[in-house]
Amino acid sequence: MASIAFRVTAGTVGMAVAGAAALAGCAGPGGEGSRTGPVRDGGTLRIAGSSDVDHLDTASAGSTVAYGLTRTFARTLLGYQASNSFDETVPVQADMAARVPTRENGDVSKDGRTYTVRLRPGVRWNTAPPRPVVAQDFVRGFERLCNPASPSPGQGYFRSTLKGMDAYCKGFAGVDPRSAAAIARYQRDHSIEGVRADGDGKIVFELREPAADFPNLLALQYAAAAPREYDAYVPDSAEFRRHTVSDGPYQITDYRPGRSYTLGRNPVWRAADDPLRGRHADRIEITLGQDSAESVQRMLEGGSADLAWDQPVPTSALPRLRGDARFAVRDLPSANPYLVFNTRSPSNGGALGKPEVRRALEYAVDRSALVKIAGGPDVAAPLHTVIPPGNAGYAPANPYPVPGEGADPATCRARLAKAGYRSLTLRFPYRTNGLHRLFAQSIAADLKNCGVTAELTADTGGDFYGRTLGDPEQAAAGRWDIAAPGWTPDWYGGNGRSIIQPLFGSRAIGRGGTNYGGYSSPQVDALIDAALTAPDAGRAAWYWQQADRQIMRDAAIVPLLDRAVPLCTSARVRGARFLPTANGYDYTRIWLAR
C-alpha cells in the first residue's frame, strides 16, 4: 500500500502501457526471450537500497517494499501470481486456502454474506518442533489488526466489512499499547463476531453486507496468519522484529535495523504446498543505507547487487538502458507521488484547514517539471484525479487546469490573497529514496513562486510513513504541513475502495492510518458506504467517481503523477516476475545464472 501501488487490464492503463511499449523493447530480465533456460538453484540474491521498512509485522506492514519482503515468509489465504503480463497478476488465486471460495463451489452463501475458507493441508510453521498452520492462526492474525501498539493501516477495509470487527477494534483501543501481556489478554478474552475457526482446517467469515471484493481483502498481507508466539511481543516492536516466524519459503535469519536483512531457506517449506512462490536462491541479503539511486544502479551494472530494494532506475540512465536485456518498464497505475495537505496543522493559523487555501495551492505545482524528473512521458504522465487511470472508478477530469501542465503562480497568489494569506511557511518532510528529494525540491521551488516557503527536511530510516505521516499526534502538533507520499492500490481489478477508503475515509484517521492529512467529509464517507453496498460494479464505480470529484472540490490533495516502473537487474538474474503490489520482482521466483 502504501503501501509506496492495478489495472483492470493492461489495455486500460493508458500512459503507463504506452510507456512500457516504448521502453520495454527487450525481453526484460529473465522474462520471455534469450535469458531463460533451465532453472538453477543456489547462490545468494543480493538486494541494495536505502531505508528500512516502516513495519515488519504483517498486521501493520503497508509499504510496497515491506510487502515484497513479507511475502517471502508470511502466507495469506489468497494471493496473486507474479507475472510480467499485468493481466495475469490481477485475478485472486488460492494461497493457504485450498481453493478460492465461490458460490459455485458452495463456499460462499447464497446471500453473499458468509465465506468458508478451507485450508491447504501440510503447511507448517518453522517452530521447534515444526507444527501445522491452523485456522486459529488466521483468526489471531485478524485479531491483531487493530492492536493499539502498531495498528494496521488496512483495518478500515475489515471494520467496514466483517461483523463485529468495528466493535472489537473500539474496545482494543483502550488497551495499554506498551504491554504485550495486556494486548494478548484482550485478544484471548474478546472475539470478532465475523471471524471464527471451524476446527483446524476451516475459517468462517460473516460479512455485514455482501462485498464482491472480499476475496481481495483475504489476499492482503494484513490478513496473514499469526503464530501464537507473537502473543509474547508488543506488535512490530524491536523484540518482535527479532523473532519473526515463517510459513513461507524463506525465514529471516539475521536482522540489523536500518542496516540489513539476511534470509535463509525455511527447512519445513515445501513447493508442493505453495502454488504462488518458488525458492531458488539459498540466501537473500538486503543491504540498506544506499540513499543514492545512482549508486545502486552502479552496483547493479557492476554486479555487486542483483536487485534494487527501494531505488528506481535513475532518470539519467533510462536512455542508455533501452534495449538492454537487464531492463524493463512494468505497468503500475498509481499516484506516486501526490501532495497531501495536513488539514489539522495549527501552522499559519490553521490555514491548511481551509479549502480555499488548499484550492489556491492546486495551481502552484508544475507537473511538466515532475514528468521530466521522472524520466519523461514514456514513464510518467500528469495526474489530476484522486483515482489514477486503470483503476475502478476512474473518470477523466481536470478541475484546476493550467496550460501545458505547468504552474500558474499568479492564480495561486491571487487566490491565497483572497483567502487572507499573502504568504505561508510550510514544513515539508520528504523521502530520501528514489527521486523524492528531486520531486520535493521542484515542488518547493514552485511554491516559492506563489509566496509559500517550504521548509524541506529529509525523512530517513523508514520513518516517513510509520512515524511522520502515520502518527496523528505529529500532524496535530504541526510537525509537518505538506508531504509527497505515494499510493499503490492494494489490489487491481474491482479495486474502487483500495484508493478512496484508506486515503480519504474519516475512519482511516488515526494512528497507523493512511488518511495522512486528516481529511474528513460526511459526503465522502456517505459515498464510500454507498459504493461498498452498491448492487453492482457499475453503480459502485459511479459512487467512487463522485467521491473523487468531492475530494478534489475540497482540494484534500494535489494529484501529481501516474508512473510506470522502470526496473533493472544484474546480468545474472533469471526468472524475474513482477508483483505490482510490491512495486518490484518476486524474490522467491528469481534464480541466478553462474
Side-chain angles (χ1 to χ4, degrees), residues 155-156 159-160 166 501 505-510 515 525 528-529 532:
Q155 64 178 284
R159 293 177 73 160
S160 62
D166 190 53
Q501 186 180 22
S506 63
R507 301 181 190 95
I509 299 171
N515 184 342
D525 286 342
I528 291 172
D529 291 341
L532 294 178

Side-chain angles (χ1 to χ4, degrees), residues 110-395:
K110 290 182 179 180
D111 64 3
R113 297 188 184 203
T114 302
Y115 282 69
T116 300
V117 181
R118 305 166 192 275
L119 291 187
R120 185 185 303 274
V123 181
R124 294 179 292 168
W125 294 113
N126 66 335
T127 49
R131 66 172 188 275
V133 179
V134 298
Q136 186 58 39
D137 295 325
F138 280 97
V139 173
R140 183 181 297 105
F142 280 89
E143 290 174 343
R144 298 176 75 250
L145 291 181
C146 46
N147 74 80
S150 185
S152 174
Q155 64 178 284
Y157 293 139
F158 301 99
R159 293 177 73 160
S160 62
T161 304
L162 290 170
K163 277 187 179 179
M165 184 79 174
D166 190 53
Y168 173 88
C169 290
K170 288 177 179 176
F172 214 163
V175 173
D176 184 355
R178 299 162 297 181
S179 171
I183 291 170
R185 185 165 52 251
Y186 182 85
Q187 292 174 195
R188 183 177 62 250
D189 295 344
H190 299 78
S191 61
I192 303 167
E193 180 185 357
V195 185
R196 63 180 175 85
D198 182 359
D200 285 346
K202 288 193 291 187
I203 307 113
V204 179
F205 297 96
E206 298 286 345
L207 279 55
R208 296 169 56 177
E209 300 288 344
D213 60 3
F214 186 64
N216 298 101
L217 302 191
L218 297 182
L220 295 174
Q221 203 66 13
Y222 308 128
R228 59 176 180 258
E229 284 81 1
Y230 285 1
D231 288 348
Y233 313 113
V234 172
D236 204 46
S237 62
E239 189 177 19
F240 171 93
R241 291 187 179 207
R242 292 194 299 268
H243 295 91
T244 53
V245 180
S246 174
D247 59 358
Y250 291 93
Q251 58 189 8
I252 297 175
T253 57
D254 184 66
Y255 171 48
R256 302 181 183 186
R259 296 171 56 193
S260 66
Y261 291 88
T262 301
L263 288 82
R265 291 182 169 222
N266 175 1
V268 302
W269 177 85
R270 298 186 306 178
D273 299 327
D274 193 336
L276 299 182
R277 297 164 190 79
R279 187 179 63 189
H280 303 301
D282 287 333
R283 287 160 49 98
I284 301 174
E285 293 180 352
I286 301 168
T287 303
L288 307 174
Q290 295 289 341
D291 289 340
S292 165
E294 288 76 12
S295 294
V296 172
Q297 186 64 28
R298 286 193 293 270
M299 295 173 72
L300 297 175
E301 295 187 41
S304 60
D306 299 306
L307 295 177
W309 166 253
D310 59 355
Q311 296 283 21
V313 176
T315 301
S316 59
L318 294 178
R320 63 181 171 80
L321 287 173
R322 297 185 185 192
D324 192 316
R326 298 169 296 179
F327 175 74
V329 176
R330 302 300 179 196
D331 301 339
L332 194 67
S334 60
N336 187 16
Y338 65 93
L339 191 68
V340 61
F341 298 113
N342 178 4
T343 64
R344 299 190 169 190
S345 173
S347 304
N348 305 283
L352 293 182
K354 301 175 182 179
E356 58 269 27
V357 172
R358 302 194 300 267
R359 292 186 191 112
L361 297 177
E362 292 280 350
Y363 293 92
V365 181
D366 183 347
R367 290 177 176 83
S368 66
L370 300 181
V371 169
K372 291 178 182 176
I373 291 171
D378 284 345
V379 294
L383 184 64
H384 299 281
T385 55
V386 170
I387 302 173
N391 293 278
Y394 170 74

Side-chain angles (χ1 to χ4, degrees), residues 517-567:
Y519 170 77
S520 181
S521 164
Q523 298 99 315
V524 169
D525 286 342
L527 287 165
I528 291 172
D529 291 341
L532 294 178
T533 57
D536 56 69
R539 190 63 177 171
W542 185 85
Y543 285 123
W544 296 127
Q545 290 171 16
Q546 301 313 303
D548 190 323
R549 291 173 183 174
Q550 182 61 50
I551 293 162
M552 289 308 301
R553 279 194 290 270
D554 294 338
I557 66 168
V558 181
L560 297 173
L561 295 180
D562 178 17
R563 296 164 63 195
V565 182
L567 295 170

Side-chain angles (χ1 to χ4, degrees), residues 366 422 456:
D366 183 347
R422 296 287 177 182
L456 293 172

Side-chain angles (χ1 to χ4, degrees), residues 442-465:
S442 180
I443 293 168
D446 293 338
L447 290 170
K448 185 176 181 180
N449 290 334
C450 67
V452 177
T453 299
E455 298 178 341
L456 293 172
T457 56
D459 200 325
T460 60
D463 290 346
F464 182 75
Y465 288 107

